[in-house]
Amino acid sequence: MPADEKLQHVLDPVDAVAQLTFVVDGMLQRRCREEDLSLIQLRLLGILRDRRPTMSELSRFLELDKSSVSGLVDRAQRRGLVRRVPSETDGRVSVVEITDEGNALVGNASSGFTADVQELLGRLPATDRDRLVVLLTRLLAAHARAHGVDLFADLQQ
Amino acid sequence: MPADEKLQHVLDPVDAVAQLTFVVDGMLQRRCREEDLSLIQLRLLGILRDRRPTMSELSRFLELDKSSVSGLVDRAQRRGLVRRVPSETDGRVSVVEITDEGNALVGNASSGFTADVQELLGRLPATDRDRLVVLLTRLLAAHARAHGVDLFADLQQ
DNA sequence: TATTGTTATACTCTATAACTATA
DNA sequence: TATAGTTATAGAGTATAACAATA
């Protein structure tokens, strides 16, 4: 059809959201594969970037059974990505720390992912992009509110 | 802070996209769990909804090794969700079909997921929602174009 | 010979249940 | 007794390599 007759097609709303999720998910998976990490190993390292949780805490953060976390940490430790440190105050407890190597992998994967999403958003004109981010923020804030959470809880005084 | 001083916070663009992906992904996972399906089993059944592919074709669609597809289809068949039908024109080939039970599961999961996303989008005022979908469409179209694909290839005459 | 599909094997990821050690 | 964590076991999902059957 001629350009001046071109209708701007609009995706079905659910398809639009689902497709975006699919695309972004693929980006994350590709960045994981580059570092030879599974998604769950990346999540583990991501948590350890700014925390030194116990195994139980990891179990809650990752919503996995404690036995699953044992195996997860075993494999990460075998690769030298994390280490277990015995708690000094409670003889039952192990604290999990990330190693320099683990930090390098999670850093690579997440900066790669950030670059992917920036490249994606960079395909829109700046005004569209800004409007999109505002609308996404409103959407996520409304979703969070509906679940009794404040999206900006961090920023409150 | 008082309402009339309220600044509208805007998420970091990458965070906004990542968080949306996380939320939508969670919805899909929950709907899978309700039907006792893994994500990959749901994808398998989703493909079979409107196709009768061979094992090789499934391997390409799912981007899995043919041996992985063998196992996947084995387990789905054991549950009565799919069946293998020998090709009549090529003795090496198996065609995979979905059963009524498989169709019911994938129908439930995808209509539940659709409802989830509609509920999510329904939290925005209609004008915001419409603008968001337009912007997502533009974003996905630009992404597709950058990868040599036409998002609306189906609709062309 | 090439293609289609399965099987053998190995590894990750996950859960349940049983266990050990510490509190 | 209760809690923190590991181990034993079982099953899904994935890949590589070797194989059988058909083209």
Side-chain angles (χ1 to χ4, degrees):
Chain A
M1 58 187 129
D4 55 2
E5 265 184 33
K6 187 174 64 174
L7 288 175
Q8 285 303 330
H9 296 299
V10 176
L11 286 173
D12 168 78
V14 174
D15 283 356
V17 170
Q19 281 198 39
L20 179 67
T21 296
F22 186 79
V23 166
V24 174
D25 225 70
M27 291 170 168
L28 194 55
Q29 304 245 16
R30 223 170 310 114
R31 292 301 181 173
C32 280
R33 225 174 304 131
E34 281 180 4
E35 307 300 329
D36 199 27
L37 290 172
S38 65
L39 206 50
I40 189 64
Q41 290 281 346
L42 183 68
R43 285 187 61 204
L44 170 64
L45 298 182
I47 286 170
L48 298 179
R49 277 181 119 176
D50 32 52
R51 263 171 288 230
R52 287 171 70 258
T54 67
M55 295 296 284
S56 296
E57 286 167 346
L58 275 178
S59 185
R60 279 193 295 278
F61 290 151
L62 295 169
E63 293 182 289
L64 290 177
D65 189 86
K66 53 192 175 151
S67 66
S68 304
V69 176
S70 274
L72 206 60
V73 171
D74 281 350
R75 291 183 293 273
Q77 189 163 25
R78 214 177 305 138
R79 277 182 67 181
L81 308 182
V82 308
R83 84 176 69 84
R84 282 173 170 92
V85 179
S87 163
E88 293 181 349
T89 63
D90 187 333
R92 300 168 299 179
V93 169
S94 273
V95 164
V96 184
E97 282 179 355
I98 195 165
T99 64
D100 290 347
E101 193 187 344
N103 243 315
L105 292 200
V106 68
N108 288 344
S110 48
S111 58
F113 173 70
T114 297
D116 290 339
V117 177
Q118 281 170 344
E119 184 183 351
L120 173 69
L121 290 172
R123 302 192 192 290
L124 281 182
T127 56
D128 278 1
R129 185 168 62 239
D130 292 346
R131 289 201 300 154
L132 176 62
V133 175
V134 167
L135 292 169
L136 287 178
T137 300
R138 283 187 200 156
L139 181 66
L140 290 165
H143 174 74
R145 204 177 318 123
H147 289 75
V149 180
D150 181 351
L151 190 61
F152 294 104
D154 321 3
L155 306 182
Q156 273 163 7
Q157 75 284 47
Chain B
M1 57 188 129
D4 57 0
E5 267 184 30
K6 186 174 66 176
L7 287 175
Q8 284 304 329
H9 297 300
V10 177
L11 286 173
D12 169 78
V14 174
D15 284 354
V17 170
Q19 283 199 37
L20 178 67
T21 296
F22 186 78
V23 166
V24 175
D25 226 71
M27 291 170 168
L28 194 56
Q29 304 244 18
R30 225 170 311 115
R31 292 302 181 172
C32 280
R33 226 174 304 131
E34 281 180 3
E35 308 300 328
D36 199 27
L37 289 172
S38 66
L39 205 52
I40 188 66
Q41 291 280 348
L42 183 69
R43 284 185 62 203
L44 169 64
L45 297 182
I47 287 170
L48 297 180
R49 277 181 118 175
D50 32 52
R51 264 171 287 231
R52 288 172 70 257
T54 67
M55 296 294 284
S56 295
E57 286 166 348
L58 276 178
S59 185
R60 280 193 294 279
F61 289 150
L62 295 168
E63 294 182 289
L64 290 177
D65 189 85
K66 54 192 175 153
S67 67
S68 305
V69 175
S70 274
L72 206 59
V73 170
D74 281 349
R75 291 184 294 273
Q77 190 163 24
R78 215 178 303 138
R79 278 182 67 181
L81 308 182
V82 308
R83 84 176 70 82
R84 284 173 169 92
V85 178
S87 164
E88 293 181 349
T89 61
D90 187 332
R92 299 168 299 179
V93 169
S94 273
V95 164
V96 184
E97 282 180 357
I98 195 166
T99 65
D100 289 346
E101 193 187 343
N103 243 317
L105 293 200
V106 68
N108 289 345
S110 49
S111 58
F113 174 70
T114 296
D116 290 339
V117 177
Q118 281 171 344
E119 183 183 351
L120 174 69
L121 291 172
R123 302 193 190 286
L124 280 183
T127 55
D128 277 1
R129 187 168 62 240
D130 292 347
R131 289 200 302 153
L132 176 62
V133 175
V134 166
L135 292 169
L136 287 178
T137 300
R138 282 187 201 156
L139 182 65
L140 290 164
H143 175 73
R145 203 177 319 122
H147 290 76
V149 180
D150 181 352
L151 190 61
F152 294 105
D154 324 1
L155 306 182
Q156 272 163 8
Q157 74 285 45

